[in-house]
Amino acid sequence: MAFTPRVFSGTQPSGDLHLGNYLGAIKRYVEMQKTHECIYCVVDMHAITVWQDPDELRRATREVAAAYVAAGVDPRKNIVFNQSRVSGHAELAWVFNCVARMGWMNRMTQFKDKTAGKNAENVSLGLFAYPSLMAADILLYKATHVPVGDDQKQHLELTRDIATKFNNDYASSIVEQGLDAEFFPITEPVIAGPATRVMSLKDASKKMSKSDPAEGARILLMDDADQISKKIKRATTDPEPLPSEEAGLKGRAEADNLVGVYAALSDTTKAAVLQQFGGQGWGVFKPALAELAVEKLAPIAAEVRRLTADPATVDAFMKDGAERASVIAEATMKDVRKIVGFVR
C-alpha cells in the first residue's frame, strides 16, 4: 500500500523548553512542513508518567504549542494540538499494550536510565509502557516519517516492531475487512542535522536536560540575551583552539557540542564552522556563538510571550488542530476495532 507521506512528532510539556528541544525537534518541524503533511503534538499524556502539577501542566502545554508557532510552524497548514484532546491515542495504546511483549519493553534503555538508582517498582506503570503510547501516537495517523534524535531511535524501532506484529497477528482479519495487508506503515526515522542531540554545557557526556540541577548546563528557550550570553561564555571547554577540520573534534566532546550548536543555529555544517573559526580560541568563538544564539532565539521567546499572554488564542488553534486530527484518528480506530473484533 502507498501511504500518504505524513510526519508525526511530539514534545513533552514537562519543564521549560531548552535549546536541545529547539534544535533537535522544533526547528526541524519548521523545515519539514515545507515538504510533508505534518502533525505536531504536545504530548501531555506522556508528561503525566511522572507527577505534574495540573496548573503547571496547563501552562507548559500552551507554552510548547506557542513555541511551535513562534518558531515558524503554520497551524493552518499543519495540525498542531495537544494529545489528550484526541481519545484515539489512549484507545490505540491499549491495543498496542496487548500486542507488544514485556521483553520488548524491558529492553528499553531510556526506561533503565530514568530508573537507574531508584526502585523501578515504585515508578509508574505509565513510565514503563510509555513506548507503547508513543507507537500509538505515530500509528494512529499512519505516519510514514518521524524526526527523532539519537536517543529516540530505539522507541521508533519498537513502533516498527509493533506495526509489524499487528499486521501479522491480524493478517486474516485485515484481509476479511477488505483492507490492505500492510495496515500500519513501517515508519521511517528522519535523523538529520549537526545537532540532533545537544549536550550539557557543563558536561558534554550528558544530554542537555530540563532536570539538570546546574542552571548553566542548559539554555532555555525563554532565557533573555544576558542569560544566554553568560551561559555560553561559562560553558565548559578545553584549553586547545578550535581545529580546522572535523576530525580534530574527536575526543573533544565539549568542543564538538558547541561547534554543532553553532552549525545548527546558522543552518550550516560543522566543517563550514571550523573553516571559519579553525585555529581560533574560545575567546573568539564563544562570543560569536552567544551573539548568534541571541539573534535566533530572542524573537522566538518574544513571540511565545505574546501568544501565551492570551491563552484563548493558543487554545483555539489547538482545538482546531485536535478536530482535524480526530478525523484521521477516528478513521484508523474504526478499522482497528473491526480488525481486533470489538463489537460496536
Side-chain angles (χ1 to χ4, degrees):
M1 176 181 175
F3 291 95
T4 300
R6 181 178 289 146
V7 170
F8 177 91
S9 194
T11 303
Q12 275 203 53
S14 51
D16 295 309
L17 290 171
H18 56 69
L19 183 65
N21 301 129
Y22 173 66
L23 293 179
I26 298 171
K27 185 174 184 289
R28 297 164 73 195
Y29 296 173
V30 179
E31 294 158 2
M32 295 196 80
Q33 70 180 348
K34 298 171 186 173
T35 54
H36 290 78
E37 177 185 322
C38 298
I39 299 175
Y40 295 135
C41 189
V42 185
V43 288
D44 48 359
M45 291 167 66
H46 283 292
I48 65 165
T49 55
V50 294
W51 192 86
Q52 303 290 328
D53 176 86
D55 288 335
E56 176 58 21
L57 181 60
R58 280 185 278 269
R59 183 205 65 79
T61 297
R62 292 183 176 112
E63 185 173 287
V64 172
Y68 289 169
V69 175
V73 171
D74 185 344
R76 293 161 299 184
K77 180 181 177 183
N78 307 285
I79 291 175
V80 178
F81 72 108
N82 57 306
Q83 180 188 27
S84 61
R85 287 179 187 261
V86 180
S87 61
H89 290 263
E91 187 178 359
L92 187 58
W94 178 254
V95 174
F96 286 170
N97 282 346
C98 301
V99 171
R101 305 291 91 179
M102 286 289 289
W104 299 357
M105 296 299 186
N106 281 323
R107 286 195 293 272
M108 293 292 109
T109 55
Q110 203 170 71
F111 176 76
K112 293 175 185 175
D113 292 344
K114 286 182 177 179
T115 57
K118 303 173 187 175
N119 182 350
E121 293 184 2
N122 285 336
V123 300
S124 75
L125 176 60
L127 190 62
F128 182 71
Y130 178 112
S132 184
L133 176 58
M134 182 174 168
D137 297 337
I138 296 164
L139 296 174
L140 184 62
Y141 304 101
K142 298 190 177 181
T144 55
H145 297 83
V146 175
V148 292
D150 290 339
D151 58 327
Q152 290 289 335
K153 282 194 290 186
Q154 191 185 32
H155 282 170
L156 190 59
E157 282 300 320
L158 180 75
T159 297
R160 290 160 61 90
D161 289 342
I162 288 173
T164 300
K165 192 170 188 300
F166 183 95
N167 291 345
N168 289 339
D169 287 356
Y170 292 101
S172 59
S173 183
I174 289 169
V175 172
E176 284 169 15
Q177 301 305 323
L179 301 167
D180 287 291
E182 190 181 8
F183 179 73
F184 284 122
I186 309 304
T187 308
E188 293 292 331
V190 181
I191 303 170
T196 53
R197 193 177 194 198
V198 179
M199 310 308 284
S200 163
L201 298 181
K202 292 300 183 185
D203 178 0
S205 68
K206 300 189 300 185
K207 187 180 173 184
M208 186 175 285
S209 170
K210 306 167 187 177
S211 58
D212 195 311
E215 278 194 27
R218 60 189 174 273
I219 293 172
L220 299 179
L221 202 59
M222 302 304 289
D223 278 347
D224 61 30
D226 187 52
Q227 289 170 314
I228 292 171
S229 185
K230 281 180 180 176
K231 287 177 180 179
I232 289 175
K233 290 174 182 176
R234 292 172 182 172
T236 301
T237 49
D238 55 40
E240 300 299 319
L242 284 169
S244 297
E245 297 180 355
E246 267 190 89
L249 293 173
K250 191 173 182 181
R252 299 179 64 185
E254 281 78 16
D256 187 47
N257 186 43
L258 294 182
V259 169
V261 168
Y262 193 105
L265 285 171
S266 56
D267 293 311
T268 186
T269 63
K270 291 181 184 179
V273 175
L274 294 176
Q275 198 170 19
Q276 181 181 352
F277 290 98
Q280 300 191 62
W282 296 107
V284 173
F285 183 74
K286 282 184 174 181
L289 176 56
E291 184 179 344
L292 176 64
V294 170
E295 176 193 332
K296 297 293 185 180
L297 299 180
I300 296 172
E303 181 63 3
V304 171
R305 290 189 187 96
R306 188 189 72 80
L307 287 168
T308 53
D310 180 16
T313 299
V314 180
D315 289 352
F317 70 70
M318 286 199 295
K319 180 176 183 288
D320 174 69
E323 287 170 353
R324 288 185 284 141
S326 293
V327 173
I328 303 169
E330 183 52 31
T332 301
M333 289 312 305
K334 186 176 179 182
D335 287 338
V336 167
R337 294 177 197 120
K338 289 177 184 175
I339 290 166
V340 171
F342 294 157
V343 176
R344 300 290 283 187

